[in-house]
Amino acid sequence: MSRAVWYLQRLRTMNGREILWRTTRLRHRLSTRQLTWESAERALFGREQPDRARLLRDFREAAGRPVLLDRARAARLAADHPAEVAAVIAAAEQILAGKVRYFGYPHASIGAEVDWHLDPLSGTRWPRVDSDRIDHRTATGDPKWIWELNRLQHLPWLAQAWLFTGEDRFADKAFEHLDSWIEQNPPGIGIAWRGAFECGIRAISVAVAVQGLRDAPGLTPDRFARIVTLLGESARRCWADRSLFSSANNHLIGELAGLVTVAVLLPELPSAARWERDALALLTTHAERQILPDGAGAEQAVGYQLFTAELLALVYALLALRGTPPPALATVLDRSSRYLSLLVGAADPNPRYGDDDGGFALRLGPEQVRTVREHLGIAAAVTPTPAARRASTQTITAAWLRAALGTNPVGGEDHPPTAESPAPQPAPDADAVHTDCPDSAYAADGGVVVLRAGGRRLLMDVGPLGFLSIAAHGHADALAVTLAVDGRDLIGDPGTPSYYGHPGWRTACRSTRAHATVCVDGLDQSVIGGPFLWTAHAAMRVRAVDPEGGIVDAEHYGYRRLADPVVHRRWLIAPPQARAVVVVDLLAGKRTHTAQVSWPLPPALDARAGNCGHTVSRDGVEVLALSYAATVDLAPNQLRGEEDTALGWWSELLESREPSWLIGAQACGTGPFAVATVLTPLTAEVSPARDLRIDLADTEIRVRWTDGGIDRALSVDITRDGAVELSSLVR
């Protein structure tokens, strides 16, 4: 997509106020672009430059500021978590060897003398020009890789390795990298300054790491002054260039969290008090918007909910350590944790809907991705949410936060609060969080239905496409249904294989065809306007949800834009007592249409087509049967690892993928018509559905089949919301 086309599409998502604001901001950026480090320092401190020796002394003494990484806690962690500490030290050793790895890309050598503008994997050297002149959307290299390098999230590994071992080589390398980064990246020059979001995430890494290194011999007053100027200029840009209006998603949270972190850890900065006040107020407002009342993330992407919540958790933790915990953030974090705990339950796999780039708010551990359970361990270390503790697993990040805040590990006793580690404050509605998470529930704000029975978890998406007018990280997966049994996915979401590196992968992974829903006439439910832009959103209507009875009835209107408008209505019918799951799709149109019903399988599963169905196996053992029927012509189909369409792939890491089966059936006929799918998790005692039949009348859909010699039937009253007669489905 050309730059002009992208800007035109983007402009259409803005209202008049946003256009005026962006124009004003552009004029401001043009007037302040000719900064040097010297002028940035003068702008930061004014005419009276600080006493550098005193500045460093106060920082080393932690005067008037909280501390996360320190020697005493490092010693405690080394004794209590030797394996996790060893992993951090190993990651730091890799940095000393000049090796990094980001996303699904292979390891890269950055050498002893780092060129912060070079991507050694692609050979792309990003220009050392004003960052506003760099169009990362049409560049030949992948900006995600170079941004990841320039976020400096490896510095906390080096700081921890120094604290754990006392070996100065780790601290010296951290300072060497900071020196060269500052030298090669004057304010506003290069890809690293492209956007306030990168400034915010980088500022968090630098501020926390340098505080961990505050006693290192290599931290001289002059070096520290340069680092303070870097952090101050980054903080200034976080506010001046903050993401507002249609861009106010997780980027704004990252910018504000970076600004608060700098202000709290460097309170001697002249603007620190104002920065903290203004940023915290705006952060609280947007935290409420981005973590919905039911705890779901507004961006409709689990990965970005984890990222956003961990940014909020970091801010909360720093302020709690200082003795001023913000109750409003505790409330937001609490409801996010309860929602995520609902999704994973006691043993369910990670939910995977929406985009996920594997981003970290603060990268203390070497893990490549953050799972929901690992995130809940971090959340439980910050706010006392029992549901999060029960569903969590532990990381070195959680261990640092527990050591600092005095919170307890899973199954352990709380450390008594001390002046150094005050007890975190509970949310104002803390009484509500001490109840167990229900097995099945409906998160109405986020639009996610969770149905559980025994070892089975079903998720159904009945929510909006995404957040704000651009819905940047949403996928066209309205009414998608995923299925996990005994802690393993059977029907899943194929994930996010690429952002910039492979545009074709990016388009396919967001498409309707790739998800467990229905694609009409080969078109997406919503209209893509760019890699992080949707120009038309499929509107959703939830007719009825009965979590206890296992019934969902919802429809979307994304295909009303067709010459012959089509409404897709779906019933998910999964009573707790029934082994089989029935999905009924009604396509309401007047002309001839095709409807592709898709079911994506994880790579570990194999599929075999049969008579109007598929049998799915794992390691040669049959685990799932799918049977299809329609009121028009229907044929099962399957594909795997297609290069031309980029369909039939599964991604665990950004910029990586592996072949996987995308199975289903295509129905074709004159609307209205209906399609039924019966999904049966198989055991030695459970048989697949046979002789599946479906009939459509003016007011009713009837579905019949047999399994194990027993006749099954159900009927759906089209005229009444959620009206399903189970008949002999359950006996």
Side-chain angles (χ1 to χ4, degrees):
M1 178 181 293
S2 71
R3 185 174 187 175
V5 171
W6 184 89
Y7 276 113
L8 179 61
Q9 298 274 41
R10 187 66 178 84
L11 191 64
R12 289 173 176 170
T13 67
M14 303 179 194
N15 59 29
R17 289 183 60 220
E18 179 173 2
I19 293 172
L20 177 62
W21 171 74
R22 289 185 181 277
T23 303
T24 303
R25 190 177 71 165
L26 178 60
R27 289 200 300 266
H28 170 75
R29 286 159 63 181
L30 290 172
S31 68
T32 59
R33 62 172 28 167
Q34 301 299 326
L35 281 175
T36 64
W37 286 120
E38 291 74 19
S39 61
E41 185 178 29
R42 289 193 298 271
L44 185 63
F45 286 100
R47 292 183 178 180
E48 294 186 9
Q49 294 302 294
D51 181 333
R52 295 185 172 187
R54 180 176 180 179
L55 194 68
L56 178 56
R57 184 175 65 249
D58 289 346
F59 186 72
R60 282 178 163 159
E61 293 174 355
R65 73 207 75 204
V67 173
L68 180 58
L69 306 184
D70 70 3
R71 289 179 180 274
R73 292 174 194 143
R76 189 190 313 172
L77 264 62
D80 294 345
H81 305 280
E84 290 84 350
V85 167
V88 172
I89 295 172
E93 292 281 8
Q94 287 286 93
I95 301 300
L96 263 57
K99 296 179 181 179
V100 296
R101 185 188 180 194
Y102 303 127
F103 315 119
Y105 287 120
H107 283 87
S109 175
I110 57 174
E113 303 290 334
V114 183
D115 183 343
W116 299 101
H117 302 268
L118 175 66
D119 174 354
L121 292 177
S122 66
T124 301
R125 188 180 300 278
W126 292 83
R128 298 191 188 191
V129 299
D130 192 301
S131 62
D132 288 338
R133 294 172 51 195
I134 301 174
D135 185 2
H136 64 274
R137 300 178 187 89
T138 58
T140 55
D142 185 351
K144 284 288 289 180
W145 195 96
I146 200 71
W147 277 328
E148 200 71 15
L149 175 68
N150 282 274
R151 287 182 180 184
L152 303 179
Q153 291 194 314
H154 62 275
L155 294 184
W157 294 345
L158 294 170
Q160 291 174 88
W162 180 74
L163 289 169
F164 291 140
T165 67
E167 297 179 21
D168 287 341
R169 60 196 180 101
F170 295 111
D172 292 344
K173 180 58 70 173
F175 294 136
E176 178 186 318
H177 279 190
L178 277 166
D179 289 346
S180 67
W181 195 94
I182 291 170
E183 179 183 355
Q184 294 179 35
N185 293 275
I189 300 299
I191 187 68
W193 292 99
R194 181 74 173 145
F197 178 65
E198 295 302 317
C199 296
I201 302 305
R202 180 168 53 249
I204 290 171
S205 298
V206 172
V208 172
V210 172
Q211 192 181 57
L213 297 168
R214 65 190 181 278
D215 295 327
L219 188 59
T220 64
D222 287 346
R223 174 175 274 155
F224 182 62
R226 291 194 297 272
I227 295 170
V228 169
T229 302
L230 162 62
L231 291 171
E233 176 61 14
S234 299
R236 184 190 70 79
R237 289 171 181 264
C238 283
W239 184 257
D241 297 336
R242 63 196 182 278
S243 302
L244 294 178
F245 295 100
S246 60
S247 297
N249 55 13
N250 68 85
H251 280 215
L252 179 60
I253 301 298
E255 293 151 8
L256 298 175
L259 181 54
V260 173
T261 299
V262 172
V264 170
L265 295 186
L266 294 172
E268 52 274 278
L269 293 178
S271 299
R274 173 173 56 83
W275 283 344
E276 180 186 336
R277 180 197 66 220
D278 294 347
L280 188 58
L282 194 59
L283 184 68
T284 301
T285 296
H286 283 270
E288 290 284 349
R289 294 176 184 173
Q290 294 197 33
I291 304 297
L292 300 172
D294 60 17
E299 293 201 74
Q300 298 294 313
V302 173
Y304 281 98
Q305 179 169 354
L306 307 189
F307 180 70
T308 296
E310 288 186 21
L311 287 165
L312 299 175
L314 174 64
V315 170
Y316 180 88
L318 292 176
L319 294 174
L321 283 169
R322 196 182 64 182
T324 57
L329 289 189
T331 302
V332 170
L333 290 168
D334 173 72
R335 66 175 184 250
S336 174
S337 293
R338 282 185 284 162
Y339 169 78
L340 293 168
S341 301
L342 168 68
L343 294 188
V344 297
D348 294 321
N350 242 33
R352 292 162 50 89
Y353 60 82
D355 275 349
D356 187 356
D357 69 350
F360 290 82
L362 174 61
R363 198 166 190 178
L364 296 181
E367 56 269 18
Q368 279 194 291
V369 295
R370 177 83 77 220
T371 68
V372 170
R373 294 185 188 282
E374 289 170 345
H375 166 79
L376 289 171
I378 293 168
V382 174
T383 58
T385 308
R389 288 177 54 195
R390 286 190 293 272
S392 67
T393 56
Q394 297 306 302
T395 61
I396 195 73
T397 305
W400 275 110
L401 289 166
R402 288 199 314 270
L405 291 164
T407 49
N408 60 318
V410 174
E413 295 298 326
D414 285 321
H415 299 297
T418 65
E420 181 196 29
S421 56
Q425 300 299 307
D429 59 346
D431 289 344
V433 310
H434 288 279
T435 58
D436 290 331
C437 286
D439 289 334
S440 298
Y442 170 35
D445 302 301
V448 174
V449 182
V450 183
L451 302 180
R452 281 198 181 84
R456 181 185 74 196
R457 180 197 67 185
L458 287 157
L459 298 179
M460 183 168 174
D461 177 5
V462 296
L465 173 66
F467 187 45
L468 304 174
S469 62
I470 62 174
H473 295 296
H475 290 184
D477 57 355
L479 305 182
V481 172
T482 61
L483 169 66
V485 175
D486 296 333
R488 305 177 76 175
D489 281 315
L490 293 182
I491 303 293
D493 185 299
T496 308
S498 185
Y499 274 4
Y500 297 100
H502 300 86
W505 298 6
R506 175 71 178 149
T507 299
C509 82
R510 298 194 294 163
S511 71
T512 300
R513 178 69 173 89
H515 293 89
T517 183
V518 176
C519 175
V520 175
D521 295 344
L523 301 173
D524 291 329
Q525 305 156 338
S526 299
V527 180
I528 292 176
F532 301 94
L533 173 64
W534 296 88
T535 55
H537 302 198
M540 182 77 70
R541 177 187 176 188
V542 179
R543 288 176 169 268
V545 176
D546 177 5
E548 291 74 23
I551 306 293
V552 184
D553 177 3
E555 63 190 15
H556 76 82
Y557 308 120
Y559 294 118
R560 275 188 170 173
R561 70 182 191 273
L562 303 183
D564 175 43
V566 173
V567 174
H568 173 207
R569 185 174 177 184
R570 170 169 275 192
W571 290 264
L572 171 61
I573 304 163
Q577 309 93 324
R579 182 69 173 178
V581 174
V582 182
V583 177
V584 177
D585 293 297
L586 175 64
L587 287 304
K590 297 179 180 179
R591 302 178 188 171
T592 300
H593 296 278
T594 61
Q596 173 65 51
V597 183
S598 297
W599 304 106
L601 306 182
L605 301 183
D606 198 8
R608 184 181 75 252
N611 183 23
C612 288
H614 284 93
T615 302
V616 177
S617 60
R618 181 190 295 118
D619 299 327
V621 178
E622 295 182 350
V623 293
L624 178 68
L626 297 93
S627 301
Y628 316 113
T631 58
V632 294
D633 292 340
L634 176 137
N637 53 27
Q638 61 278 324
L639 56 88
R640 185 174 187 270
E642 287 193 351
E643 293 290 350
D644 55 342
T645 65
L647 293 170
W649 299 90
W650 187 276
S651 175
E652 294 290 348
L653 287 171
L654 195 71
E655 303 306 334
S656 69
R657 63 179 187 172
E658 55 184 314
S660 63
W661 284 105
L662 179 59
I663 64 175
Q666 186 175 90
C668 182
T670 301
F673 60 85
V675 182
T677 305
V678 177
L679 303 99
T680 309
L682 298 176
T683 66
E685 296 78 26
V686 177
S687 302
R690 307 289 186 191
D691 302 321
L692 179 64
R693 304 175 299 284
I694 182 171
D695 299 297
L696 171 62
D698 290 339
T699 63
E700 184 184 39
I701 301 173
R702 291 188 59 81
V703 182
R704 293 168 290 170
W705 73 96
T706 62
D707 63 60
I710 301 174
D711 292 332
R712 306 290 190 187
L714 62 84
S715 62
V716 174
D717 186 339
I718 300 172
T719 65
R720 296 168 52 213
D721 295 346
V724 177
E725 173 56 52
L726 297 179
S727 186
S728 59
L729 177 60
V730 180
R731 283 191 173 180

